[in-house]
Amino acid sequence: MEISQEIMDAINDQINFELYSGYIYLSMATWFEEKNLSGMAHWMEVQADEEYAHAIRFYRHIVERGGRVTMKAIEGPKTEWASAHDVFADAYKHELMVTERIYKIGDIADRLKDRSAQAMLQWFYNEQTEEEKNTMEIRDMLKMIGESMPALLQLDAKLGARPAAPAPPLESTAP
Ligand code: FEO
C-alpha cells in the first residue's frame, strides 16, 4: 500500500517530537550533572539515545515505503527544575504525551486501513508502556526518598548502571 500523505505527515511530526524528546532528556541530563548526580545524568543520556532510535525507527518506516522525511526545527526544552523528583515527574508526564500522540497516529492508520503502519506502531505501543513505567517508578521512588541524601545517592548509583541504549534499528519493524 502506497503511504498516504496523511500518515506521512503524522509520522514526520512524530520524528520531530522524538528528537525533541531526546533534547528534553539531554537537558535533564545536564541539570543532573550540575547537581553531581551523575547516575541520573547517565540514565537521562541513555534515554536521549533511545529517543534518537525512536526517531530513526519512524524515519525508516517512511523511507521503506518510498516516502519523504521532512526535517523541522526542534523546539527548545525546559532547562531548570526544583528537584530530582520534579525532573522525573516531568519525564513521566512527557511520556504520557508521547503515548497519546502515537495512539493518534494509530487512529489514522486504523481509519486508512494502513496495515503496514499498524505493524510498525505495534512496537511503539509496547515501548510506551515500558517508558511510562520506568519514569513513573523512578518518580515514585524519589517521592519516597524525600530529603534523604543517603537514599538519593543510592538511587543515583542504581540509575548509573543503566545499560547503553541499543543502536537505532535498520528496519522500522525490528524487534
Ligand atoms: Fe520515544 Fe520516550 O518516547
Side-chain angles (χ1 to χ4, degrees), residues 17-31:
F17 204 77
E18 297 290 343
L19 294 171
Y20 170 56
S21 303
Y23 216 34
I24 291 175
Y25 292 129
L26 261 190
S27 186
M28 291 174 171
T30 192
W31 185 89

Side-chain angles (χ1 to χ4, degrees), residues 18 21 25 47 50-51 54 94-95 98 124 128 131:
E18 297 290 343
S21 303
Y25 292 129
Q47 190 61 34
E50 285 212 357
E51 298 305 342
H54 295 169
H94 185 77
E95 288 305 328
V98 175
F124 279 99
Q128 280 312 118
E131 299 260 285

Side-chain angles (χ1 to χ4, degrees), residues 1-14:
M1 178 183 183
E2 194 179 347
I3 193 163
S4 69
Q5 190 63 47
E6 187 179 2
I7 200 99
M8 197 156 60
D9 288 347
I11 295 173
N12 264 314
D13 278 349
Q14 192 58 26

Side-chain angles (χ1 to χ4, degrees), residues 20 23-35 75-83 86-87 90:
Y20 170 56
Y23 216 34
I24 291 175
Y25 292 129
L26 261 190
S27 186
M28 291 174 171
T30 192
W31 185 89
F32 281 123
E33 290 288 4
E34 196 192 36
K35 303 291 180 281
E75 201 183 317
K78 186 170 166 179
T79 55
E80 290 298 336
W81 291 268
S83 65
D86 287 1
V87 178
D90 266 9

